[in-house]
């Protein structure tokens, strides 16, 4: 564009010059070697310009002829280079697509067309080709050569780091990442990999220092950096909790300033404050975290904040938590557990059933089984709640990379990634493998007697059934009687009073005079249990069956 503009300006200047000469005619006389030469001024200007143009054309022709060998050589060299870059591009695409044959062919062609000293990408193509062909030793040698070259150092260290991670050599991977982070602190993968390795090794101070440097270099954004720093401070506080309570408190409070909803930080800060006899501030932190999202660990620590409290005091604290977050299954479950410890069985049953309606999980039905055992000891009802627990989804837990942990951990034990644990339901649940039909659930429970005995401290049902065996006899003359169905044991209704209507048999009066709600959501239990003849119930009659 600039050349065209210059050409237009030159043509415009020549036209203006000739117009100016045409408006001012004149004669030009020249005496050269005794001869007089006369011509108009316009002709003289035209001859001068033509002479200059002819000289320029001659110079161009001479220069072109003189430089023609170099021009031809440069042309073929550029063509060869273009073919080499085309082969390099095709080879990289083939290596990325996993086409080993084409990648190897393009590697050989690129080597013949381009020198590796001129184009470092040839080493990358050779390394990628070796990787997809399974020649990992050759690939590592190529990456080592690239790591020694200042121009391709970061690329070589990246390849060596990935190879070390693939082989499970975490120490070597950590060294490569630290080396890359030292040479190029702006690389996000190097900074984050070093951060994860230092966190996995428990080097919290070094990890915090590296995180601050990465934040200054804008490798990690502000929100992510605050979250990771809160996790690191929480991890350091947990390690200091036994020996340095004050340091643990300061780190946990600093973590809460960065992320006020981090449950482990709130728990650690509250534990440190409780050990310093600062009950008010510790409970305030737990209440603030509870209002955002109720967590069972927060409820457990809040209820047992003071070691000398009685079961009734713990029940009052659980009720206070429920008032802060009403109509919540976790809060109701906490009240039910505290009520069970305080022997307020009616309250425990009411809250547990309400929690089961809101969020039917495994733990709430196991809690109902414990309440049933403490209240009535009815094996059939206990087995009913156990069956419901078996069919219900599992409770949320600290989960990372497909594994669960009973407590929060700052680093995943599988991948070593920082801040990997999340409070969510485990990926594999029993409800996905167990049929929701009641008969199948009962059969699954019968196949797990150890689980039943762990929650029901009574003999196994098979042993109880041996008291009334079924007799099989071969009788040819007597007809075979039809088996009588076993009836579900019903509770006896109290005697009606003269001035009051009779009370229904399904409802009993509790120990405190209040009516007990139906524990099976308006329907009889699926498993009535085993009746005890000593309790006054009529034993089933012996039934004989005809074999022949």
């Amino acid at each position: 564009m600039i050349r065209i503009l210059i050409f237009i300006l030159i043509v415009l200047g020549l036209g203006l010059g000739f117009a100016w000469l045409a408006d001012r005619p004149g004669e030009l006389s020249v005496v050269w070697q005794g001869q007089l030469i006369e011509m108009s001024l316009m002709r003289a200007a035209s001859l001068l310009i033509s002479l200059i143009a002819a000289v320029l054309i001659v110079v161009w022709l001479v220069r072109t002829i003189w430089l023609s060998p170099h021009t031809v050589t440069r042309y073929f060299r550029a063509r060869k280079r273009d073919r080499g870059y085309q082969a390099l591009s095709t080879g990289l695409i083939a290596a990325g697509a996993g086409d080993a044959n084409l990648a190897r062919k393009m590697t050989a062609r690129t080597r013949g067309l381009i020198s590796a000293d001129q184009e470092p990408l040839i080493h990358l193509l050779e390394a990628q080709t070796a990787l997809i062909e399974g020649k990992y030793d050759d690939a590592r040698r190529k990456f080592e050569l690239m790591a020694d070259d200042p121009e391709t150092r970061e690329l070589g260290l990246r390849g060596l780091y990935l190879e070390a991670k693939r082989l499970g050599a975490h120490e070597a991977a950590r060294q490569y990442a630290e080396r890359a982070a030292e040479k190029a602190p702006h690389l996000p993968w190097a900074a984050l990999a070093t951060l994860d390795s230092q966190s996995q090794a428990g080097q919290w101070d070094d990890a915090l220092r590296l995180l601050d440097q990465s934040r200054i270099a804008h490798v990690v954004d502000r929100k992510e950096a605050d979250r990771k720093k809160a996790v690191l401070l929480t991890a350091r506080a947990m390690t200091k909790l036994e020996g340095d309570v004050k340091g643990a408190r300061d780190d946990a409070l600093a973590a809460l300033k960065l992320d006020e909803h981090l449950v482990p930080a709130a728990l650690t800060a509250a534990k440190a404050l409780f050990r310093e006899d600062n009950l008010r501030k510790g409970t305030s932190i737990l209440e603030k975290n509870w209002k955002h999202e109720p967590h069972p660990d927060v409820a457990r620590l809040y209820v047992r904040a003071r070691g000398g409290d009685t079961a009734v005091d713990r029940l009052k604290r659980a009720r206070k938590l429920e008032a802060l977050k009403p109509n919540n299954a976790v809060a109701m479950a906490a009240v039910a557990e505290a009520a069970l410890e305080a022997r307020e069985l009616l309250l425990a049953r009411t809250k547990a059933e309400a929690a089961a309606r809101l969020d039917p999980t495994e733990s709430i039905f196991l809690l109902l089984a414990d309440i049933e055992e403490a209240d009535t000891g009815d094996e059939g009802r206990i087995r009913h709640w156990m069956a419901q627990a078996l069919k219900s989804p599992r409770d949320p837990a600290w989960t990372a990379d497909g594994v669960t942990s009973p407590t929060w951990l700052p680093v995943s034990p599988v991948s070593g990634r920082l801040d990997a644990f999340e409070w969510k339901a485990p990926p594999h649940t029993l409800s996905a493998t167990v049929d929701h039909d009641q008969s199948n659930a009962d059969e699954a429970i019968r196949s797990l007697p150890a689980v039943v005995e762990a929650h029901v401290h009574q003999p196994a049902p098979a042993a109880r059934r041996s008291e009334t065996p079924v007799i099989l006899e071969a009788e040819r003359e007597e007809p075979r009687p039809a088996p009588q169905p076993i009836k579900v044991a019903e509770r006896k209704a109290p005697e009606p009073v003269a001035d009051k209507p009779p009370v229904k048999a399904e409802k009993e009066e509790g120990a405190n005079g209040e009516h007990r709600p139906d524990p099976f959501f308006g329907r009889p239990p699926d498993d009535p249990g085993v009746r005890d003849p000593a309790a006054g119930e009529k034993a089933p009659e012996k039934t004989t069956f005809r074999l022949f």
Side-chain angles (χ1 to χ4, degrees):
M1 184 66 186
I2 296 177
R3 291 182 179 181
I4 295 176
L5 182 61
I6 293 174
F7 177 76
I8 293 174
L9 291 176
I10 292 174
V11 173
L12 182 62
L14 291 175
L16 291 175
F18 279 107
W20 185 79
L21 289 177
D23 293 339
R24 294 167 179 81
E27 296 291 335
L28 181 63
S29 299
V30 178
V31 178
W32 185 55
Q33 293 183 356
Q35 294 182 358
L36 178 62
I37 301 173
E38 294 181 354
M39 66 182 66
S40 64
L41 187 60
M42 180 67 70
R43 178 181 292 181
S46 300
L47 291 175
L48 180 62
I49 293 175
S50 300
L51 180 63
I52 293 174
V55 170
L56 291 177
I57 292 173
V58 170
V59 170
W60 175 77
L61 288 174
V62 172
R63 184 175 179 273
T64 301
I65 295 172
W66 180 262
L67 296 178
S68 58
H70 177 70
T71 303
V72 174
T73 304
R74 187 175 57 182
Y75 168 76
F76 285 107
R77 186 185 302 165
R79 183 180 178 185
K80 182 179 179 181
R81 184 187 57 193
D82 293 341
R83 290 169 57 197
Y85 277 110
Q86 181 65 34
L88 178 62
S89 175
T90 306
L92 289 174
I93 295 174
D99 191 350
N101 296 328
L102 182 58
R104 182 171 59 251
K105 181 180 178 181
M106 291 297 106
T107 301
R109 181 178 297 180
T110 305
R111 273 289 188 179
L113 297 174
I114 305 177
S115 175
D117 298 334
Q118 300 175 356
E119 185 51 64
L121 284 178
I122 297 178
H123 296 298
L124 176 61
L125 176 58
E126 292 175 349
Q128 293 295 329
T129 304
L131 285 177
I132 62 177
E133 288 180 345
K135 301 177 181 178
Y136 299 108
D137 295 336
D138 296 342
R140 281 194 297 272
R141 283 194 292 268
K142 289 295 180 182
F143 285 130
E144 289 174 358
L145 292 176
M146 295 168 66
D148 295 335
D149 188 358
E151 189 176 0
T152 59
R153 180 186 295 114
E154 291 80 11
L155 183 57
L157 291 175
R158 168 78 169 172
L160 291 173
Y161 168 77
L162 293 177
E163 280 299 295
K165 293 286 288 183
R166 183 186 63 81
L167 295 175
H170 300 291
E171 181 63 24
R174 182 184 65 82
Q175 293 179 4
Y176 290 133
E178 290 179 354
R179 183 179 169 187
E182 181 181 358
K183 298 295 182 181
H186 60 278
L187 294 176
W189 70 268
L192 295 178
T194 306
L195 183 65
D196 290 342
S197 61
Q198 291 177 349
S199 302
Q200 193 173 9
Q203 302 173 358
W204 310 118
D205 297 335
D206 297 338
L208 286 169
R209 192 180 307 109
L210 178 61
L211 182 61
D212 292 337
Q213 294 175 358
S214 301
R215 182 175 179 177
I216 294 174
H218 300 286
V219 175
V220 185
D221 59 1
R222 180 178 179 181
K223 185 176 181 181
E224 184 180 359
D226 290 343
R227 172 69 182 187
K228 290 184 179 296
K229 188 173 183 179
V231 172
L232 291 173
L233 288 172
T234 303
R236 190 170 69 176
M238 293 172 65
T239 58
K240 292 181 179 179
L241 190 58
E242 299 298 331
D244 185 8
V245 179
K246 184 178 182 300
R249 179 201 63 194
D250 295 339
D251 287 343
L253 292 178
L256 285 176
K257 289 182 180 179
L258 296 172
D259 189 354
E260 59 181 2
H261 304 317
L262 187 58
V263 175
L267 294 174
T268 306
K271 289 178 182 178
L273 290 170
F274 291 159
R275 295 187 181 185
E276 293 179 345
D277 295 332
N278 195 346
L279 185 65
R280 178 177 298 178
K281 188 173 182 179
T283 54
S284 175
I285 291 175
L286 293 179
E287 289 175 358
K288 185 177 180 180
N289 193 275
W290 175 268
K291 290 178 182 178
H292 175 258
E293 184 65 32
H295 197 280
D297 294 341
V298 174
R300 200 171 295 112
L301 182 60
Y302 185 86
V303 170
R304 292 166 175 79
R306 193 161 42 202
D309 286 348
T310 62
V312 177
D313 295 333
R314 291 195 292 269
L315 178 58
K316 292 179 181 179
R317 301 183 72 84
R319 281 182 169 273
K320 184 177 180 180
L321 276 183
E322 186 187 13
L324 294 176
K325 199 73 175 180
N327 297 327
N328 184 268
V330 179
M332 293 179 180
V335 175
E337 291 180 2
L340 177 60
E341 294 180 1
R343 307 305 294 177
E344 294 287 343
L345 301 180
L346 181 59
L347 176 62
R349 185 188 296 275
T350 303
K351 294 297 181 181
E353 290 183 355
R357 291 187 180 94
L358 287 177
D359 187 13
T361 57
E362 181 181 5
S363 64
I364 194 64
F365 287 112
L366 293 178
L367 178 61
L368 280 168
D370 293 336
I371 295 172
E372 197 68 54
E373 180 185 3
D375 188 10
T376 64
D378 192 326
E379 182 182 350
R381 295 174 179 175
I382 297 172
R383 288 170 62 86
H384 168 79
W385 296 125
M386 293 290 293
Q388 295 297 323
L390 186 63
K391 296 187 298 182
S392 301
R394 295 176 62 185
D395 295 82
W398 291 112
T399 307
D401 298 326
V403 299
T404 59
S405 173
T407 58
W408 177 83
L409 296 175
V411 180
S412 170
V414 178
S415 61
R417 182 166 51 94
L418 182 66
D419 191 23
F421 276 92
E422 299 177 357
W423 182 257
K424 62 181 182 180
H428 302 289
T429 59
L430 289 177
S431 60
T433 58
V434 178
D435 196 327
H436 288 275
D437 187 75
Q438 183 62 35
S439 60
N440 293 342
D442 293 340
E443 187 66 26
I445 291 180
R446 294 189 186 95
S447 64
L448 299 172
V451 178
V452 178
E453 291 181 3
H455 292 81
V456 184
H457 306 290
Q458 295 182 4
R464 296 287 301 273
R465 291 194 183 94
S466 62
E467 299 176 1
T468 57
V470 179
I471 302 176
L472 299 178
E473 297 180 357
E475 299 182 358
R476 300 181 179 179
E477 298 180 357
E478 297 181 2
R480 184 176 66 178
Q484 298 180 1
I486 301 177
K487 298 181 179 180
V488 178
E490 298 180 353
R491 304 174 185 175
K492 295 182 179 181
E495 295 294 334
V497 187
D499 54 349
K500 291 183 179 181
V503 184
K504 294 183 179 180
E506 287 80 2
K507 296 184 180 180
E508 290 183 354
E509 293 186 356
N512 53 1
E514 299 180 359
H515 288 291
R516 179 180 301 161
D518 184 19
F520 299 102
F521 304 110
R523 61 182 179 84
D526 297 315
D527 189 351
V530 180
R531 293 176 296 181
D532 191 0
E537 298 178 355
K538 184 179 179 180
E541 298 179 359
K542 297 182 178 179
T543 306
T544 59
F545 296 93
R546 189 180 184 92
L547 293 179
F548 303 101

